[in-house]
Amino acid sequence: MDRNTVLDKVFREDTGKILYAIRRAGCPEQDLEDILQQTIVTSLENFDKLKNLSKASAWCVKIAVNITYRKLSRDNRFCVIDFTDEAEEARINENDKYDVSDVDIKRAEIRMDLKKHLNGLAPEYAVPLLLKTVYGLTYEEIADILEIKLGTVRSRISRAKKILEKCLTEDDN
């Protein structure tokens, strides 16, 4: 297959997956199309570097995440994770005729606390953690996507977990 056929197939079939990766890497909605366009251009320019055509989709996701990661670092932005405000929804529903248990409200509050602290993490910690926990990628895949050493991935994920644990523990006190 030639370059145009492979990339056309990837961007026709996997645009949603790429946009999801860009969002989860912390890209604000207003920058999504720009990052996607940069991903397409970069993929076309660097296609000769793709060694295995069967991994073209993962390769494009890698490019998209790297572009997003660099943009966030360059703009000195924090990673923004979009969760619905479940705690607020639970409180609204609490006054409705439906029974919302204390457990549901507590879970929603924990989720909101987690959202707050994830948003406060620097991208170098948040992105690897999200790639591991949300995407279920291996440490090796994350290292490849972010173009960093395996040990760096492990230490950043560990550090992110410790930061979140500390923040959540402090919130409880």
Side-chain angles (χ1 to χ4, degrees):
M1 271 195 241
D2 71 333
R3 168 177 80 164
N4 291 336
T5 305
V6 171
L7 291 179
D8 181 55
K9 183 176 186 244
V10 167
F11 287 107
R12 216 175 347 96
E13 295 175 6
D14 296 328
T15 299
K17 181 173 152 182
I18 293 167
L19 286 171
Y20 183 76
I22 295 169
R23 275 189 194 96
R24 297 314 268 170
C27 182
E29 287 293 318
Q30 68 268 18
D31 295 334
L32 280 176
E33 289 181 15
D34 291 338
I35 300 287
L36 181 61
Q37 187 174 21
Q38 284 180 279
T39 302
I40 293 168
V41 169
T42 303
S43 300
L44 287 167
E45 290 173 345
N46 295 292
F47 186 79
D48 56 321
K49 295 179 183 176
L50 177 61
K51 294 176 174 88
N52 186 345
L53 292 181
S54 67
K55 295 188 178 186
S57 178
W59 181 71
C60 289
V61 168
K62 170 184 174 180
I63 290 171
V65 170
N66 283 338
I67 290 170
T68 304
Y69 189 61
R70 280 194 296 272
K71 180 172 180 40
L72 290 172
S73 294
R74 184 179 61 242
D75 295 350
N76 201 21
R77 291 191 204 168
F78 290 102
C79 187
V80 177
I81 314 325
D82 185 28
F83 290 102
T84 57
D85 191 347
E86 292 179 7
E88 188 60 32
E89 287 175 20
R91 285 189 192 97
I92 290 169
N93 290 339
E94 193 173 45
N95 297 325
D96 286 346
K97 62 182 179 179
Y98 303 106
D99 183 32
V100 178
S101 72
D102 289 339
V103 173
D104 292 336
I105 293 172
K106 185 64 178 168
R107 248 189 235 138
E109 288 172 350
I110 290 170
R111 187 176 170 118
M112 292 309 300
D113 287 343
L114 184 59
K115 171 191 173 184
K116 177 179 75 174
H117 295 301
L118 275 170
N119 286 334
L121 278 178
E124 64 261 19
Y125 296 120
V127 171
L129 179 65
L130 291 172
L131 289 173
K132 180 71 175 153
T133 57
V134 174
Y135 283 109
L137 298 179
T138 66
Y139 290 109
E140 293 80 10
E141 290 169 326
I142 297 168
D144 187 41
I145 288 171
L146 298 179
E147 297 178 344
I148 57 178
K149 293 179 180 179
L150 182 61
T152 303
V153 170
R154 291 181 190 277
S155 67
R156 286 184 182 176
I157 290 173
S158 175
R159 179 77 175 128
K161 287 178 180 178
K162 286 179 184 173
I163 291 169
L164 289 175
E165 182 181 3
K166 180 180 178 201
C167 291
L168 293 171
T169 303
E170 289 174 357
D171 283 353
D172 286 342
N173 294 334

